[in-house]
Amino acid sequence: MSSSSMLRRRIGWGASSLMAAVAMVGWGTAAASVPQSYVALQVPAPAGGFVVGTSTEVHASVLGTGMPFLPNMQVTFTDNGTCFDSMYPLNVDESDVRATWTPTTPGIHTLTVTQGGGSATQTVTVAAAPAGTKVPTPSTPGCGGSGSAGSGSFGS
């Protein structure tokens, strides 16, 4: 192979690599800001209403990526500002991510889901647990930054 052929091939590889890098940076920039209106939250009341110690599944509609673990795509659920779960959606389009929330104190709770620059909130009132009920200790699974992979697709 001649040196000019090798030079052209190396230039071609370099150009291809540069184009791929530019495309990834552009894609990452486009995904950096999730529109406020795209993030939605539903907190359905369990049978008997919201009561300390009674779990419910919190649903959020968020933007999926198809590429997990992009920091700006992490979905975080909080209760009065304290994280109770976080994950990365794996679907390419809209994703329905779910987290289990168990209130540990009575009163007003503002639940928030955040992804990138978007967030949605819902406020609920939690009743005290009946006398003699064991109240769970609060936990923060997946809130240390690594999270767990979200699953499911919207509407499933």
Side-chain angles (χ1 to χ4, degrees):
M1 184 178 289
S2 71
S3 62
S4 65
S5 294
M6 289 207 45
L7 178 61
R8 280 186 282 215
R9 182 171 286 172
R10 286 183 181 167
I11 291 171
W13 286 337
S16 296
S17 297
L18 179 61
M19 292 303 289
V22 168
M24 288 303 288
V25 168
W27 183 78
T29 303
S33 178
V34 177
Q36 176 79 21
S37 61
Y38 200 84
V39 179
L41 177 66
Q42 292 180 354
V43 185
F50 296 105
V51 178
V52 169
T54 302
S55 298
T56 189
E57 191 172 64
V58 179
H59 303 258
S61 295
V62 297
L63 183 65
T65 65
M67 293 183 67
F69 311 118
L70 293 175
N72 56 342
M73 300 310 287
Q74 184 173 12
V75 177
T76 303
F77 292 90
T78 61
D79 172 10
N80 291 338
T82 300
C83 179
F84 64 89
D85 205 352
S86 68
M87 63 202 62
Y88 291 90
L90 297 178
N91 293 332
V92 176
D93 297 321
E94 187 174 7
S95 291
D96 179 34
V97 293
R98 300 164 190 232
T100 300
W101 172 62
T102 306
T104 57
T105 59
I108 296 176
H109 290 258
T110 301
L111 301 175
T112 304
V113 61
T114 304
Q115 183 187 44
S119 65
T121 62
Q122 185 173 334
T123 301
V124 300
T125 302
V126 177
T133 302
K134 183 177 178 181
V135 177
T137 305
S139 65
T140 56
C143 293
S146 61
S148 59
S151 62
S153 61
F154 184 69
S156 62

